[in-house]
Amino acid sequence: MTDLALAIAQADFPLPMPGATLYHYLLVSALMFAIGVIGFVSRRNLIIMFLCTELMFQAAGIALIAFSRFHLNHTGEAFVIFVLTVAAAEAALALALVVLLFRRKETLDASSWAELKG
Amino acid sequence: MRSGRKARAAGFDRRLPHVGNSLRSARSPDLSEFFNPVLLYGGCALGALGIALALPRRGVSPQVLGAIVAAIGLGAMFLGLGVATPDGARPRVMFYIFAVIALGASLRVISHPRPVYAALYFILTILASSGLYLLLSAEFMAFALIIVYAGAILITYLFVIMLATETPVESELEALAEYDRYSREPVAATVAGFILIAALSTLLARGVGELPPPRAGSPDVARIADLPGKVERILRDSETITGSQRIVRDAEGKPAIDLSEGTALVAAPGGEPHAVRLPGDLVLTNTEGVGFSLLVDHPGSIEIAGVILLMAMLGAVVLARKKVELDERARARQLAAHRAAAEGVSL
């Protein structure tokens, strides 16, 4: 790479975060993911359970963006767009299911469908 | 300054392969170089205790106390990281603000008994994590996140919460359904979650690396040569080219921009082409970079994403149109409620 290309590469961008390590962002992501897991396992309302899966998607997004920044390319960011797509599709389907289940039993309790486990 | 940063970045790149090695050497002697394990694991345990207390439960539910304990625990975890990062550097305060808001709000998502408030706290989580995205200089994704998540997905959730709730009664907690008031196995769930955290942070501990400055050595910069319109606009703004002068294109339509020389060939229509110097501060903005990555590197994935969305939409429509019979128990409950209401009126 010539000097000019390097100058182009480094010119006029926000300063790097002093001292913020990849690890900090990964820890935030891991904590958010674990909170999502805890919520998904322990809450009984179907809607909140699906909100917790969104929380886990969100945690994955933070990790992807942090890795994308760490490796200095945009692949991670493009991947977050696909995560958003899947999240939107999941929300649409899951919520249609929730409405369907609610119309049948008039309750959002996940354990009221316990007979499905056979 | 710049060179010091680069040297450190290179140092962390060398360290990256060790991420995998730490699987084998979890008890490696230099683990404590990077963080304070007492604070980290103590914070883990404290955070677990706090979250277990904060989840709604039968009997006395010390939610506020739980939130405070969880906050102290999570704070200790970050302190454990901050105390001994490799060169003693600490993240700037904005990182902590956004991280605390995001984690606090997500804790409230799982602990709030009312689904509407849980959804609103989830929007707060989204806003805080888009703040984190901004700190990571991913502006495009930050705003896309707010628009798509907070604007679209969460509104769908709110609509469904509105559609699928039992008729509320007067007093506050009594109106909540039983399944909203009590969570299932809060202690076991929290212990499992925090064992996950402890394991993850142990494995990650060796991968500490300061983030190098954006774009340095990024191959994406070369793509500016594929953006003749942008280059032309910049040249025109700096009055390097005037009037009807355009960047020359060769027979295949490729613009004559030479980044390694820092020049571009321009010519008026029918005129003789001549080389002009490009300004030294050409950069690929975040949005342009994401666009290239999406449309040039992953064009197939976009098509697949479109198909996924279409199928999800069809599925949702088919599911929601289906006529459902109430099952016997629900019908009996409804009947009883109607009868009770009728008796109440007649009395």
Side-chain angles (χ1 to χ4, degrees):
Chain A
M1 215 180 218
T2 63
D3 282 352
L4 182 85
L6 199 66
I8 288 174
Q10 295 180 337
D12 196 32
F13 250 92
L15 281 175
M17 288 135 282
T21 63
L22 177 65
Y23 190 26
H24 284 89
Y25 287 94
L26 291 183
L27 185 73
V28 172
S29 159
L31 282 171
M32 199 183 273
F33 191 88
I35 289 177
V37 170
I38 294 171
F40 187 80
V41 176
S42 69
R43 292 305 298 269
R44 298 163 62 194
N45 187 323
L46 280 172
I47 293 179
I48 296 198
M49 284 169 77
F50 284 118
L51 266 183
C52 291
T53 62
E54 302 287 340
L55 215 52
M56 290 188 264
F57 275 127
Q58 199 44 55
I62 291 178
L64 281 171
I65 297 272
F67 276 122
S68 159
R69 176 73 169 68
F70 186 73
H71 292 293
L72 295 172
N73 58 36
H74 291 104
T75 316
E77 295 181 31
F79 213 86
V80 172
I81 292 183
F82 298 123
V83 171
L84 279 188
T85 311
V86 173
E90 184 250 30
L93 276 180
L95 293 176
L97 267 177
V98 166
V99 171
L100 201 72
L101 296 180
F102 181 78
R103 276 198 269 161
R104 186 159 169 79
K105 292 227 184 198
E106 298 233 306
T107 171
L108 288 173
D109 191 356
S111 48
S112 76
W113 294 91
E115 71 244 41
L116 284 182
K117 72 188 173 198
Chain B
M1 184 66 195
R2 182 79 73 179
S3 66
R5 224 181 266 145
K6 250 187 293 183
R8 263 181 298 176
F12 295 126
D13 282 345
R14 271 204 311 281
R15 233 174 256 144
L16 260 183
H18 289 284
V19 175
N21 290 346
S22 61
L23 263 174
R24 265 176 291 141
S25 55
R27 280 171 297 136
S28 80
D30 55 349
L31 199 65
S32 55
E33 243 179 69
F34 300 110
F35 64 77
N36 187 333
V38 179
L39 269 178
L40 193 65
Y41 295 129
C44 257
L46 216 58
L49 180 69
I51 290 185
L53 287 178
L55 282 170
R57 61 169 65 227
R58 231 172 270 277
V60 196
S61 173
Q63 289 205 314
V64 180
L65 177 70
I68 293 171
V69 174
I72 295 171
L74 300 185
M77 288 183 76
F78 278 105
L79 216 60
L81 281 179
V83 165
T85 45
D87 40 12
R90 279 176 192 76
R92 69 166 58 154
V93 69
M94 292 308 275
F95 169 78
Y96 284 115
I97 293 177
F98 285 131
V100 164
I101 294 178
L103 292 175
S106 54
L107 178 60
R108 208 67 188 107
V109 169
I110 67 165
S111 67
H112 205 290
R114 288 177 181 278
V116 182
Y117 287 89
L120 292 178
Y121 275 111
F122 186 71
I123 294 181
L124 190 56
T125 310
I126 296 293
L127 294 181
S129 26
S130 74
L132 287 178
Y133 284 16
L134 282 181
L135 287 185
L136 289 165
S137 60
E139 305 97 43
F140 176 75
M141 282 319 300
F143 295 115
L145 191 75
I146 294 181
I147 294 169
V148 174
Y149 246 106
I153 299 185
L154 259 293
I155 298 304
T156 323
Y157 271 90
L158 287 179
F159 269 116
V160 170
I161 291 170
M162 192 179 73
L163 284 175
T165 29
E166 282 145 280
T167 346
V169 203
E170 303 280 293
S171 71
E172 212 189 7
L173 264 178
E174 300 307 309
L176 286 171
E178 192 255 354
Y179 53 84
D180 275 335
R181 265 178 294 159
Y182 314 126
S183 44
R184 173 176 57 198
E185 306 283 356
V187 177
T190 318
V191 168
F194 271 80
I195 288 175
L196 174 72
I197 283 292
L200 278 179
S201 39
T202 309
L203 288 183
L204 287 172
R206 303 289 296 283
V208 181
E210 186 179 334
L211 298 163
R215 287 332 148 239
S218 163
D220 287 349
V221 177
R223 284 178 163 160
I224 287 178
D226 295 332
L227 288 171
K230 174 190 168 95
V231 176
E232 258 175 32
R233 198 179 62 241
I234 290 172
L235 288 176
R236 195 154 281 144
D237 286 348
S238 63
E239 289 175 358
T240 316
I241 61 174
T242 49
S244 56
Q245 283 182 321
R246 309 279 314 258
I247 289 176
V248 177
R249 289 160 193 267
D250 63 12
E252 291 152 24
K254 203 168 159 30
I257 298 172
D258 190 348
L259 274 185
S260 57
E261 296 290 325
T263 56
L265 282 180
V266 297
E272 195 62 20
H274 64 282
V276 293
R277 223 165 157 70
L278 295 175
D281 55 354
L282 277 179
V283 285
L284 201 65
T285 64
N286 179 258
T287 312
E288 287 159 357
V290 175
F292 270 120
S293 182
L294 261 183
L295 296 169
V296 178
D297 296 343
H298 314 280
S301 320
I302 296 211
E303 307 277 337
I304 296 174
V307 173
I308 291 177
L309 282 174
L310 179 68
M311 296 321 286
M313 192 180 77
L314 286 179
V317 170
V318 167
L319 277 178
R321 273 179 62 90
K322 207 168 181 178
K323 195 159 164 46
V324 211
E325 295 288 319
L326 277 178
D327 81 341
E328 298 89 52
R329 230 175 310 162
R331 205 178 305 147
R333 229 188 2 246
Q334 211 178 40
L335 212 65
H338 276 293
R339 206 166 291 150
E343 273 168 28
V345 169
S346 67
L347 282 175

